[in-house]
Amino acid sequence: RERRIAALDEAPSDMGAHAALQSLGHAGVDPRDVDLIVTACATPDQSQPAVATMIQEKLGIGSTGCPAFDVNSVCSGFVFALSAAQGMMLADPERYRNVLVIGTDAFSRILNWDDRRTCIFFGDGAGAVTLRQTGDDARRIHFELGSDGRGGRAIEVPAGGSRRPVDGDVLEQRLNTFTMDGPKVWDFAVETVPRTVRALLARQRLRPGDLDLLLLHQSNLRMIEALMGSLELPMDRTVTTLELLGNTASASIPITLRAAWEEGKLRPGTRVGLCGFGGGLSWGAALFD
């Protein structure tokens, strides 16, 4: 029904910084106390430097020297970033106490707006979470991640990188815009997502029905309905935001987390699953309660 498009002077780092400040405010964490920033983004402001460092500068904490880096796993990126952040927190808990994990994308900048097979799905946005050390190892997030590079061309921007820089031919053929093999992505998602969620839950001796809430990458509503049906979960155990925002790529899961919290579905003790899937091909699921 709606979507949001970034302003001409607005880029993923701007949206990411805004989301980061909201998250830090909710967590009661001063930006100066952030020890690490991990940003998932497939549409960076520019090829270099990392969007995470741009966000660090916009937060006014460049002088603190905290590490800041990007993850690009397209629509799975936020879950990959979450896993990387927690891994660093577990490896060095004294150094990494407060960590920002951000998903931010502006797909409107890379779309071919004449290609109705792709442009109708996407919008721009950002979301962020703040992770904090608790001293309770039982509260760690569990992950199931994977990639299959054989499907890389199903979701891609064919040119504009170092292999084929932008030139006249690239612009004429619009090879610097996003392309997607919709049927292949559908088949990949409906086969991979339920298997991944079940595998993650099985390692914790759980089944899909044990989840209070499953938040999926906001690809399109028909796909989400198919995935929930395959897992034998009713739609009231998920939250969707694509009706108002479209597919916001790596931002979709943290944005939907925020919506679940606003709807009162994200409370202490809620057993929550997340699952992102997309370019790479890649997939990532997370479980926390």
Side-chain angles (χ1 to χ4, degrees):
R1 297 196 302 268
E2 301 177 12
R3 76 178 87 193
R4 304 295 182 272
I5 301 297
L8 292 178
D9 61 348
E10 189 175 28
S13 67
D14 301 306
M15 296 186 293
H18 186 71
L21 285 172
Q22 288 189 31
S23 180
L24 292 170
H26 293 157
V29 175
D30 190 290
R32 292 169 295 183
D33 293 326
V34 172
D35 303 305
L36 172 67
I37 303 172
V38 185
T39 299
C41 184
T43 57
D45 298 33
Q46 55 198 66
S47 63
Q48 299 176 41
V51 174
T53 61
M54 297 180 180
I55 292 173
Q56 180 191 42
E57 189 274 333
K58 293 176 191 297
L59 296 178
I61 57 174
S63 62
T64 67
C66 76
F69 64 91
D70 290 356
V71 171
N72 180 3
S73 290
V74 198
C75 298
S76 304
F78 180 77
V79 179
F80 276 68
L82 200 62
S83 178
Q86 179 178 260
M88 293 177 69
M89 295 176 77
L90 291 171
D92 196 344
E94 293 300 318
R95 182 175 183 182
Y96 302 118
R97 300 158 299 159
N98 303 302
V99 175
L100 272 172
V101 183
I102 302 162
T104 181
D105 265 313
F107 261 62
S108 67
R109 302 294 168 77
I110 63 169
L111 294 175
N112 176 356
W113 287 96
D114 292 326
D115 180 5
R116 303 296 295 175
R117 298 168 300 176
T118 58
C119 71
I120 61 172
F121 293 111
F122 291 90
D124 302 337
V129 300
T130 302
L131 303 182
R132 304 186 69 181
Q133 294 284 358
T134 66
D136 181 0
D137 190 59
R139 295 192 64 189
R140 71 170 59 188
I141 307 169
H142 303 280
F143 293 94
E144 183 84 13
L145 307 176
S147 301
D148 184 351
R150 295 173 299 175
R153 292 193 173 183
I155 299 173
E156 67 170 345
V157 177
S162 59
R163 178 175 293 278
R164 188 167 185 184
V166 173
D167 57 23
D169 289 339
V170 166
L171 293 175
E172 183 178 356
Q173 298 177 58
R174 298 190 178 185
L175 297 177
N176 60 324
T177 60
F178 177 83
T179 66
M180 179 172 63
D181 182 338
K184 184 168 184 176
V185 173
W186 177 281
D187 291 343
F188 153 71
V190 298
E191 191 275 329
T192 303
V193 171
R195 184 189 68 212
T196 301
V197 171
R198 287 193 175 96
L200 173 62
L201 293 172
R203 288 198 285 113
Q204 304 305 314
R205 300 181 180 179
L206 298 170
R207 297 177 299 176
D210 295 317
L211 289 172
D212 299 311
L213 195 62
L214 175 61
L215 302 181
L216 299 166
H217 165 55
Q218 301 293 292
S219 51
N220 70 67
L221 187 57
R222 299 289 84 77
M223 184 178 287
I224 291 173
E225 290 172 341
L227 295 174
M228 293 295 287
S230 179
L231 290 164
E232 299 180 337
L233 292 174
M235 286 298 289
D236 63 8
R237 292 205 200 178
T238 194
V239 173
T240 60
T241 55
L242 61 92
E243 302 94 329
L244 300 178
L245 300 172
N247 178 342
T248 53
S250 62
S252 77
I253 287 179
I255 284 174
T256 308
L257 272 169
R258 167 67 181 263
W261 174 70
E262 290 176 337
E263 292 181 20
K265 292 187 174 183
L266 198 63
R267 300 180 298 272
T270 303
R271 181 175 287 138
V272 181
L274 312 175
C275 192
F277 49 92
L281 295 167
S282 63
W283 57 92
L287 171 68
F288 60 94
D289 57 20

